[in-house]
Amino acid sequence: MPETAVTALWYRRLVLALLLAPALLWLFALIILPHLDLALLSFRERVAPRQYVVSLAQYRTFFGEPLYWHVFVRTALLSALATALTLLVAFPIAWIIAKLARGRMSALLFVVCLIPFWVSETVRTLGWMILLRESGVLPALLVHLGITRQPVELLYHDATILVGLVYTSLLFMVVPLVGSLESLDNALIEAAYDLGGKGWSILREIVIPHAAPGITAGCIVVFMLTLGNYLTPTLLGGKNSQWFTEQIYTQFITRFNWEQGAAFGFLLLALSTAMVWLGLKISGQRFSDVMRRA
Amino acid sequence: MIPTLPRPAWLRAATVLYVAAFLTFLFLPLAVVAVFAFNDAPYPAPPWHGFTLDWFLGNDAAGRVGLFRDDELLGSIWTSCVVAAWVTGLSVALGTANAFLMERARFPGKGALSMLMLIPLVIPGVILGISILAFASRLAELCGDLFGIEADFLRPGLPLVVLGQFSYIAAIATLTISARLKRFDRTLEDAALNLGASAPAVLWTITLPYLRPALIGSAAIAFLMSFENFNTTLMLVGGDSPLTIMMYGRMREGATPVLNAVSLFLMLASAAIALTLVRGGRRAES
C-alpha cells in the first residue's frame, strides 16, 4: 500500500512539472527575461563600437530634449481625454442596454454594438480616412449643404485623433459598464426616486457608486490601449500625430538606436503601469478582478 | 431612468435620437469602406461614378489590379493565416495546460503565478514587440559568438511575429478556458474513475468534451486577434508582411479601392466567425 502511495505522489509531481513547464517557459522566455533585457538596454550607453557602459544617458536625453517629453506628456493627456470622452459616450448606451431596453431588444443592441469591433482596426481607420479626408465624404457633404464653400481637411487634427481613439475604445468601455449596471437592482433606483431623489442625485449617489468597478475596469483598459495605440494616431493624425509609440518606433526601427528606444519603452510602460495602479488604488479593487471583468 | 419610473417625453425622444446617432457613428466608417469597394473611380472618394467589380476582378484595359489578381495582397493574407494558425494552436494548447495547472494543481507560489499570467495583458503591444525583438537579437548574437551558429529565426520575421502575438494571446486563452474549467462539476470525474475508467480516459471522454465550447471559442478569438494584430507585429516583422502591415503601408501612400475590396472580405470573414461563436455559445448554454 505505501508503495502505491509513493507512486501516486510521483505521478502527481510529474503531472505538475509537465503542466508547470510550459507556463514558466512562456512567462520567462517571452515576458520576464525580455523586459529585464530591455531594462538593461535602456541603462547603457555606447562609448565605442561594441563598448558599453552603464549610464543614465538615455533618460537624460529624454528629459533634456523638450521634443521627447512634450510628446510624452501630450500622449498621456490626450489618452486621458480620450478615456473620459469614451466613458461619456459609452455610459448612456450601456444604461440603455442594461436598464431601458428589454429582453431580445437589449441583447440585440448589445450584439450590434460589438459587431464593429470584430473588424480589424485597420479597416475601421480606413473608413475614417475615407470619411474625413479633404476629398472625402464629410467635406463633400458640408459643401453640398452649403456649410463650407471649399472642402475642408478634417484629417490631421487632434480632434480627429480623439474621434478615432474613442471609436476604437468604445467596446472596452461598453462591456464592463453593461456588466456592472445590470447587477444594479432597479428597486434601489425606485426607492431613491420615491424618497425624492432627482435624476442627477440618483446618478451620483446610487448609480455611479454601484457601477464604480465597471467604470474603473473600462477606464484602465481604455487608457492603456489608447496610450499604446500606434495605428489610429499615425494614420488619422499624419505628421501632426506626435504619439509616443511613434517615437519608440522611430528610435528602434528607423534610427536603430535601441538603447534610446528601450528607455522610451520603459517610460511608456511605467506610465501605463502607474495609471493602472492608481486606478486600482482609487477604486480599491484587486487587479485580478478587474482583468476578469474586462 | 428606468422603465418603471415616469419619463418625460423629451427624455424618450432624446434616448431614441441618441441610439440612432450612436449606431450611425458605429457603422458609418464600415459602410463607406464597403460602398467604395464598388465605385468606378481610381480613388475611394466621392462622387459616385457608377458600380464596378474592377476592384475585385481587375481590369487590364483601365490598368486596375483587382484583389484576386493582386499577388502581393493575396500573399499577405496567406501570411496572416499561417501566423494566426500557429498562434491559435500554441495559445489554445498552453491555455488548456494553464487552466488545469491553475484550477487543479496545488503548489507554492500559485497566487504569484496567476498574477503573473495577467501581466501580458497590461503591457502595451508595442513594448511587448520591442522587448522580444531586443531579447531575441541578443540571443542570436550569443549563438553567433558562442557556437558560431546563425540563428536566423531570432531575427525579425514570422517566427518572432508568432512568438510576439502568442505572448499575450496565450493569457486570453488561459482566462477563457480556466473560467469554464472552474465551473466543471468534479463529481462527474469521480464517478467515471469509480466506474473503473483510467485517468487519461476520463480526461478524453469527460473533461475535454466539457471544455469544448471554451476551446473553440478561445481558438476563434485567438485567430481573430492574431489576424488583426498590428502593434506587436509592426515591431517584429521582417520581409513577409502580414495583411495589417501591408494595408498600413498602402494606406500611408494613398491607396486604391483594392483596399476597400479586401476590407469587405475581412468584414464578411469576421462576421462569419462572430456568428459561429454566438451560435456555439448559445448551444453550450442550452
Side-chain angles (χ1 to χ4, degrees), chain A residues 121-192:
Chain A
E121 192 184 352
T122 331
V123 174
R124 287 179 264 148
T125 312
L126 178 68
W128 282 112
M129 289 175 80
I130 294 173
L131 278 173
L132 297 177
R133 71 168 138 232
E134 199 180 352
S135 60
V137 177
L138 283 187
L141 191 69
L142 289 179
V143 172
H144 186 73
L145 294 174
I147 297 171
T148 55
R149 294 167 99 212
Q150 295 290 321
V152 283
E153 179 64 88
L154 294 175
L155 277 184
Y156 315 131
H157 303 291
D158 287 354
T160 323
I161 300 179
L162 281 175
V163 169
L165 289 174
V166 168
Y167 186 80
T168 47
S169 308
L170 273 174
L171 166 84
F172 301 98
M173 193 65 93
V174 170
V175 171
L177 280 183
V178 168
S180 66
L181 287 177
E182 265 176 349
S183 65
L184 172 63
D185 191 348
N186 281 354
L188 282 176
I189 301 173
E190 285 162 10

Side-chain angles (χ1 to χ4, degrees), chain A residues 59-115:
Chain A
Y59 293 94
R60 270 202 295 274
T61 315
F62 171 77
F63 288 106
E65 183 72 60
L67 173 73
Y68 292 147
W69 64 264
H70 279 177
V71 171
F72 186 75
V73 172
R74 177 187 145 82
T75 306
L77 290 179
L78 278 180
S79 297
L81 188 57
T83 309
L85 286 174
T86 310
L87 180 60
L88 281 182
V89 175
F91 195 87
I93 202 75
W95 182 264
I96 292 167
I97 291 171
K99 292 288 167 207
L100 285 180
R102 288 171 199 189
R104 289 186 72 89
M105 190 62 199
S106 159
L108 186 71
L109 200 56
F110 194 41
V111 169
V112 163
C113 282
L114 301 188
I115 288 174

Side-chain angles (χ1 to χ4, degrees), chain A residues 23 26 35 37 89 99-100 102 112 118-120 122 127-128 130 135-136 167 190 193 224 228 230-231 235 258 265, chain B residues 1 3-4 6 18 25-26 33 45-46 98 121-122 127 131 135 137-138 167 224 228 231 248 251 260 270 277:
Chain A
W26 161 49
H35 283 85
D37 187 42
V89 175
K99 292 288 167 207
L100 285 180
R102 288 171 199 189
V112 163
W118 285 90
V119 180
S120 157
T122 331
W128 282 112
I130 294 173
S135 60
Y167 186 80
E190 285 162 10
Y193 183 82
M224 205 190 72
Y230 184 94
L231 193 72
L235 283 176
W258 285 18
Chain B
M1 289 273 107
T4 43
Y18 183 82
F25 179 62
L26 277 193
V33 168
N98 284 348
L121 299 176
V122 289
I127 294 166
S131 66
F135 186 58
S137 37
R138 185 183 290 250
S167 71
L224 210 65
E228 297 180 352
N231 288 349
Y248 173 75
M251 276 157 80
N260 294 53
S270 318
L277 261 188

